[in-house]
Amino acid sequence: MNSTAWQHLFGWRTAFDHPVTVCAVTGILAALALAPLVIHALSRLNVISPQLHEELWRRWKSWLWLTAAMVGPILLGAAWVMIAVAVLSWFCFQEFARATGLFREFPIVAVVLVGIFALGIANVDHYDRMYFSLAALTSGVIAMVTLPENRPQGYLQRVSLGILGFLLFGYSIGYLGLMANDSHYRPLLILVLLSVELNDIFAYCVGKIFGGRKLLSNISPGKTVAGSLGALVLTTALVTGMGKSIFAGTAMGNDFSLLKLGLLISLLGQLGDLILSAIKRDLGVKDLGVCIAGHGGWLDRFDSLVLVPPAVYHFLSYELGPLGQNQPMRILTGG
Amino acid sequence: MNDWRYLSARDLGLQTKERHCSPLRESDLTSNVLRLGWLMTVRTILKCWNRLEICGLENLPAQPPFVIVANHSSHLDTVVLASALSARWRDQVSPLAAGDYFFATPPLAGFSAVILNALPVWRNRRGGQRHELGDLRGRLINQQAIYIVFPEGSRSRDGQLHEFKSGFATLVAGTAIPVLPCRLSGSFAAMPPEARAVRPRKIVLQIGAPMTFETVANHAAGWRRIAAVAREEVIALSACESPARKFHTRRRSDKLLLTVRFTRLWLRRRLRGLAGLGGALP
């Protein structure tokens, strides 16, 4: 491994080289610092009920460590991002497997675990072709692995759930690690994570303010058309604003391309949310986990993220050329 | 065409700490693998360090559910009994452990739940205990579990067998679930209650013939009767040590010894034959 690759994977001294990283991290810290004051003020003015006050406090406390877990690896280096992404993928898949009952199929769960590990290795190695091939290879192994059990009952269900779980929570979320191979990965990842998370908040707030027609009442009774459109407008504006600085001087620097990127993130963020809502309704559970106080499980918090990373990666690669092509390739395997 | 049926984890929605203590707990891949590693390690140590000998393996039922009832004088008792069972049952074998001891702190509860697969029984909780035992009975029947129970309630401080408490009998009264009486000898000498390390003393486990209490009513008198019968069976086992009923590893070692002897004999004969042939040559 040469010094350039080492610096890219573990170099934390360059964490604040890009102005967008500085602004975004400062903004996030300021928001986290101000949030308790706002919650306290709203409570004192009787704008919010004691139950909501308690709920907001729980959410704020969770956001403290969630922010550290999301921003920390980005600042520390690309390798930490890839590790964090693999861990997040595994946690999300485990929740999905526990909710669907797939966790009882140990061979399939083991193959998905190996698949997520291999995706992580492909990311660290910066071996794009290996990463892309793992979707088909892992799906094939999932289909094969339970054959020796000689148990055709439920074959289609367990294999389908295994492949769906791997593709949504391993392969799709794993693209965040692939993006970390780009030289400007820090502002790019912050843009993706911030816009996806704020997209949720925009939809919630606009929906609460304007109300109106439900979007898909059977899948997610809380979501409204107004909230969805509001999130689309606000997230696109946010992405366009941040993108102007991140992509300045590149083919993505024009308003039209940034508008497309913003719409893509907002739309797919909302669709990811709806996909997980549909899964939860089908299973008849409210939350898929309980590990994040006030939010539910990992998938309840990161549901909007499942479709966005591959779309953003391929969109940017289409517009700018393959991401990370100016960085060392196949760091571990050579060739 | 069959409809798809999702069966979510029974402990879905429980916090980690609650999940560790819940009889609804289910094993996942991680705990399965960790348990296998633990079991292999413990078996090796018990065989090498304590020369573990197990008699009466043929008495084990072919399939769960069943309940193992044994005397208790050492922390080793649980691992000895667990290691006597097939590794493929590792997710089904659950020692019933004192909640106030084995689930007192989160790390200890994590170890007890994930590695030992223990289920807590809370002592000194009169009303709640009955409810918990009902949940445990449900798990035993519905999830095809194997329970390791020490009806004395606590480790014997003098190595002697004490009275059996009848609480465990609520698990099996009025059911066809087999109860296996087991007698552990040597575990007190290997690790008495006050010891912090395992001494290299020989441990012998005797597994008795299974009993069922299908006709015994599930009420206080029936429970007392089951406890008394189980205790008698455990006591009766103490005199049944027989060199003919040895643990399979001993058999394996005997086979190995026989193979070595046979090979030596065969080689000796061949060499003699060769020597004879050599002598006949001109």
Side-chain angles (χ1 to χ4, degrees):
Chain A
M1 191 185 294
N2 61 32
S3 62
T4 316
W6 181 265
Q7 183 59 30
H8 177 73
L9 289 174
F10 300 103
W12 52 271
R13 289 177 200 280
T14 54
F16 292 105
D17 278 5
H18 201 285
V20 168
T21 314
V22 179
C23 292
V25 172
T26 312
I28 292 166
L29 292 177
L32 283 174
L34 282 174
L37 300 175
V38 174
I39 295 168
H40 187 66
L42 289 173
S43 183
R44 287 291 296 270
L45 294 168
N46 285 330
V47 177
I48 54 173
S49 64
Q51 289 83 7
L52 185 59
H53 175 256
E54 198 60 35
E55 174 70 15
L56 289 173
W57 264 114
R58 269 207 302 274
R59 284 186 172 239
W60 176 76
K61 283 178 193 165
S62 296
W63 269 118
L64 284 181
W65 66 265
L66 275 176
T67 307
M70 286 159 76
V71 178
I74 294 174
L75 297 178
L76 285 172
W80 301 109
V81 173
M82 293 157 188
I83 293 168
V85 165
V87 171
L88 177 66
S89 295
W90 176 238
F91 284 171
C92 288
F93 176 78
Q94 270 205 318
E95 276 186 3
F96 172 77
R98 284 178 57 76
T100 55
L102 181 68
F103 77 107
R104 296 186 188 92
E105 304 289 343
F106 289 168
I108 290 179
V109 177
V111 170
V112 172
L113 177 62
V114 172
I116 290 172
F117 182 74
L119 289 172
I121 295 291
N123 280 336
V124 175
D125 193 26
H126 194 185
Y127 190 1
D128 297 1
R129 280 174 298 161
M130 176 182 166
Y131 187 94
F132 300 138
S133 70
L134 280 168
L137 292 174
T138 312
S139 300
V141 178
I142 289 170
M144 285 188 295
V145 75
T146 59
L147 288 178
E149 291 177 12
N150 195 20
R151 183 166 53 97
Q153 296 82 10
Y155 174 81
L156 194 59
Q157 177 169 348
R158 58 179 178 268
V159 168
S160 307
L161 286 174
I163 292 174
L164 180 72
F166 174 73
L167 290 181
L168 282 182
F169 313 120
Y171 189 69
S172 191
I173 292 179
Y175 266 86
L176 288 171
L178 207 54
M179 278 189 222
N181 280 311
D182 190 64
S183 51
H184 298 296
Y185 71 93
R186 286 191 175 102
L188 178 60
L189 286 175
I190 286 175
L191 170 75
V192 171
L193 293 175
L194 195 64
S195 53
V196 165
E197 294 305 325
L198 285 176
N199 191 42
D200 276 359
I201 297 169
F202 290 151
Y204 177 79
C205 293
V206 175
K208 281 280 175 201
I209 294 166
F210 293 101
R213 230 182 98 203
K214 301 286 180 195
L215 185 65
L216 295 165
S217 57
N218 289 335
I219 291 176
S220 187
K223 290 188 176 55
T224 63
V225 176
S228 176
L229 290 175
L232 214 60
V233 171
L234 291 171
T235 305
T236 306
L238 175 82
V239 172
T240 310
M242 284 179 76
K244 269 189 183 303
S245 172
I246 296 169
F247 300 110
T250 68
M252 275 293 297
N254 63 81
D255 287 343
F256 183 60
S257 295
L258 289 172
L259 211 65
K260 284 192 284 185
L261 181 65
L263 287 171
L264 194 71
I265 291 177
S266 181
L267 199 65
L268 291 176
Q270 294 185 48
L271 285 172
D273 198 343
L274 288 169
I275 285 175
L276 265 296
S277 295
I279 290 174
K280 283 189 274 189
R281 292 287 172 278
D282 192 18
L283 295 172
V285 296
K286 186 181 174 290
D287 288 325
L288 290 165
V290 285
C291 55
I292 309 174
H295 296 263
W298 292 98
L299 277 176
D300 298 300
R301 182 62 270 152
F302 293 102
D303 50 3
S304 314
L305 200 62
V306 291
L307 298 180
V308 173
V312 169
Y313 177 87
H314 288 294
F315 179 75
L316 292 179
S317 293
Y318 177 75
E319 294 279 341
L320 302 169
L323 285 185
Q325 61 182 344
N326 54 351
Q327 290 293 313
M329 306 278 281
R330 298 188 66 178
I331 297 163
L332 305 175
T333 53
Chain B
M1 182 188 262
N2 296 323
D3 285 338
W4 282 22
R5 286 177 64 248
Y6 304 108
L7 186 59
S8 301
R10 292 179 180 89
D11 52 0
L12 193 74
L14 296 181
Q15 295 282 359
T16 310
K17 197 181 166 188
E18 295 167 344
R19 190 187 297 169
H20 286 159
C21 297
S22 171
L24 300 174
R25 191 179 70 223
E26 284 195 77
S27 300
D28 58 12
L29 179 70
T30 317
S31 55
N32 178 279
V33 172
L34 287 173
R35 230 166 261 159
L36 180 65
W38 163 258
L39 209 56
M40 292 296 125
T41 310
V42 163
R43 273 184 187 181
T44 310
I45 292 170
L46 286 171
K47 278 177 199 169
C48 300
W49 190 247
N50 296 103
R51 291 162 288 144
L52 175 64
E53 192 175 313
I54 304 177
C55 313
L57 275 171
E58 67 278 4
N59 289 326
L60 284 175
Q63 289 298 326
F66 58 89
V67 175
I68 292 174
V69 174
N71 59 314
H72 191 27
S73 56
S74 167
H75 278 322
L76 284 177
D77 295 343
T78 307
V79 288
V80 169
L81 288 164
S83 65
L85 302 171
S86 168
R88 72 173 189 278
W89 287 339
R90 62 187 175 278
D91 287 338
Q92 286 152 290
V93 178
S94 292
L96 300 191
D100 54 306
Y101 187 92
F102 285 95
F103 292 82
T105 60
L108 192 57
F111 175 80
S112 304
V114 177
I115 305 294
L116 299 179
N117 200 22
L119 291 166
V121 176
W122 301 96
R123 298 181 287 198
N124 310 321
R125 258 199 221 174
R126 294 222 169 265
Q129 198 182 41
R130 196 163 297 163
H131 175 66
E132 286 156 12
L133 287 170
D135 291 344
L136 290 171
R137 181 180 161 113
R139 181 187 170 108
L140 180 68
I141 297 164
N142 301 327
Q143 295 189 40
Q144 305 288 295
I146 300 167
Y147 287 163
I148 295 173
V149 183
F150 301 110
E152 289 167 89
S154 184
R155 286 168 295 162
S156 166
R157 298 299 191 246
D158 54 8
Q160 300 301 310
L161 186 70
H162 292 269
E163 283 302 313
F164 277 13
K165 291 182 169 57
S166 60
F168 84 93
T170 60
L171 302 170
V172 291
T175 72
I177 294 171
V179 176
L180 272 84
C182 292
R183 177 84 185 186
L184 283 148
S185 316
S187 59
F188 182 77
M191 196 183 184
E194 72 278 4
R196 301 190 73 82
V198 182
R199 297 167 188 160
R201 302 285 189 275
K202 185 175 176 63
I203 298 175
V204 178
L205 166 64
Q206 290 154 325
I207 303 171
M211 312 172 280
T212 53
F213 299 98
E214 213 167 351
T215 53
V216 179
N218 189 14
H219 59 65
W223 303 335
R224 280 195 295 274
R225 198 180 132 207
I226 293 171
V229 171
R231 189 170 182 273
E232 279 166 21
E233 287 295 320
V234 171
I235 292 169
L237 279 171
S238 59
C240 81
E241 193 172 3
S242 156
R245 299 164 78 193
K246 295 291 183 189
F247 181 40
H248 56 85
T249 50
R250 184 64 183 271
R251 286 182 199 154
R252 272 183 205 156
S253 62
D254 287 349
K255 278 180 193 168
L256 191 70
L257 204 66
L258 279 171
T259 312
V260 170
R261 280 181 187 164
F262 179 78
T263 314
R264 274 170 57 191
L265 268 171
W266 182 79
L267 277 172
R268 202 173 287 168
R269 281 181 190 170
R270 295 289 297 169
L271 287 170
R272 273 184 198 155
L274 279 172
L277 194 66
L281 283 171

